[in-house]
Amino acid sequence: MNESVHLAAVLRPVRAGNAFEETVERLLQAIKLGMVTEKLPPERELAARLGISRVTLREAIRALQEAGYLDVRRGRYGGAFVTYTPPRPSQTDLRRAVADMGTDDLADALTFRMAVECGAAQVLASTPLDQERRDTLRQRLREVNSAGPDDYRRQDTAFHLAIAELTGSPLLAAACADARLRVTDLLNAIPVLQRNIQHAAVQHEAIVAAILAGDPDAARRAVAEHLEGTAALLRGFLA
C-alpha cells in the first residue's frame, strides 16, 4: 500500500466551518501516527486533499512549526519537514498521559478501539480479496513482525490501519486512525520489549490468517485477543 493510500484515512476533506482547527488536527494525526516521517506532501496536493485553501494550510503548518512538529524550509528543496519524534518510554509519561486523559476516557478509548478494529477485521474477512490486497496485507505483516524496537510502534500502527483501509471504507479507516491516535501517547510511553514483540507477532499472524481464510468470526476473535493483551499491558505498567 503506497503512502498516498495510507494517508487517505487521515488527510481527507475537512469541514469548512472549522477548517484551520481540523487541518491542524489532521496533520498532527498523520505525524503522530507515523504516517509521515520525513516531509509533508507538496502544498498544492495537500490543500487539494484536505479541500482547503493554501492560505489555511500555511496557517496550520505555521502553527505546527511553532509547536515544534515541523520545520519549514524554503527554496527548491524546501517543504514542511517533520521534526517530531515520539518520547522515549517512561512510566512517568504513561501516568501523566492517563491523568491528562482520565480513567473514564481511557476506558472509553479502549472500548472504541476494540469496536472499530474488530469490526474492520470482520468486514475485511467477509470481503472477497484480490491478489493485490492479499499481498498488501502480507507485506504489512512482514514489516511489523520484522521491525525492531525503535520502529515497532510505527509499523504496528501501519499494520492495524491497513486492515481498515483494505476494506475500502474511508469512514472505517478514519475511525480506526482516530481510535489509534487516542492511545498513541499511552503506547509510546510503554517500553517495547522483545518478548512482547514476539507474542504480538503470533497474534498478528492469527489475524491475517483468519482474514485471508475468509473467517469473520475468527478474525474478530483474533483482534479482540490482541487488543485485550495491549490493554492488559497498559494496566500492568500502571499498577
Side-chain angles (χ1 to χ4, degrees):
M1 184 177 297
N2 62 40
E3 184 183 76
S4 178
V5 175
H6 193 51
L7 282 170
V10 173
L11 300 183
R12 60 194 189 281
V14 305
R15 291 171 294 185
N18 302 300
F20 169 74
E21 292 86 354
E22 284 201 29
T23 299
V24 170
E25 181 183 9
R26 299 282 169 79
L27 294 178
L28 189 56
Q29 189 176 36
I31 292 167
K32 294 189 77 172
L33 289 177
M35 293 177 173
V36 180
T37 57
E38 296 181 0
K39 181 181 176 182
L40 291 182
E43 189 178 277
R44 184 186 301 275
E45 176 190 335
L46 198 49
R49 281 192 187 193
L50 294 168
I52 57 173
S53 70
R54 294 173 76 168
V55 171
T56 299
L57 176 60
R58 287 170 188 157
E59 290 175 350
I61 289 175
R62 189 178 303 116
L64 290 175
Q65 181 181 26
E66 291 172 356
Y69 289 94
L70 293 171
D71 175 29
V72 179
R73 305 172 198 168
R74 302 300 176 190
R76 183 175 180 182
Y77 300 105
F81 292 84
V82 175
T83 55
Y84 169 79
T85 54
R88 295 188 66 82
S90 162
Q91 191 174 47
T92 300
D93 288 341
L94 177 59
R95 292 186 183 280
R96 185 183 300 118
V98 172
D100 290 344
M101 177 184 284
T103 52
D104 288 345
D105 285 345
L106 171 58
D108 192 25
L110 293 174
T111 298
F112 177 48
R113 187 183 179 204
M114 179 72 75
V116 295
E117 290 206 20
C118 285
Q122 196 164 5
V123 169
L124 190 59
S126 303
T127 305
L129 300 178
D130 58 24
Q131 193 60 47
E132 182 180 0
R133 285 196 285 180
R134 287 174 172 270
D135 290 344
T136 296
L137 187 58
R138 291 191 182 101
Q139 177 64 24
R140 288 297 188 200
L141 176 65
R142 285 193 295 271
E143 289 169 350
V144 65
N145 283 358
S146 63
D150 290 344
D151 197 37
Y152 183 76
R153 294 294 182 207
R154 185 177 70 86
Q155 295 292 357
D156 186 57
T157 297
F159 170 74
H160 284 272
L161 295 186
I163 292 172
E165 291 162 357
L166 288 170
T167 66
S169 168
L171 288 175
L172 186 52
C176 286
D178 183 29
R180 178 72 181 210
L181 186 66
R182 291 173 188 271
V183 297
T184 288
D185 287 343
L186 303 180
L187 294 177
N188 285 340
I190 299 175
V192 179
L193 306 176
Q194 193 61 42
R195 183 175 179 181
N196 296 132
I197 292 178
Q198 292 167 350
H199 183 58
V202 174
Q203 295 177 326
H204 290 153
E205 293 274 5
I207 293 168
V208 171
I211 290 172
L212 295 181
D215 190 335
D217 290 338
R220 175 184 53 76
R221 287 194 304 270
V223 172
E225 180 182 344
H226 180 52
L227 297 186
E228 283 167 0
T230 301
L233 196 62
L234 275 171
R235 289 192 293 269
F237 276 96
L238 286 168

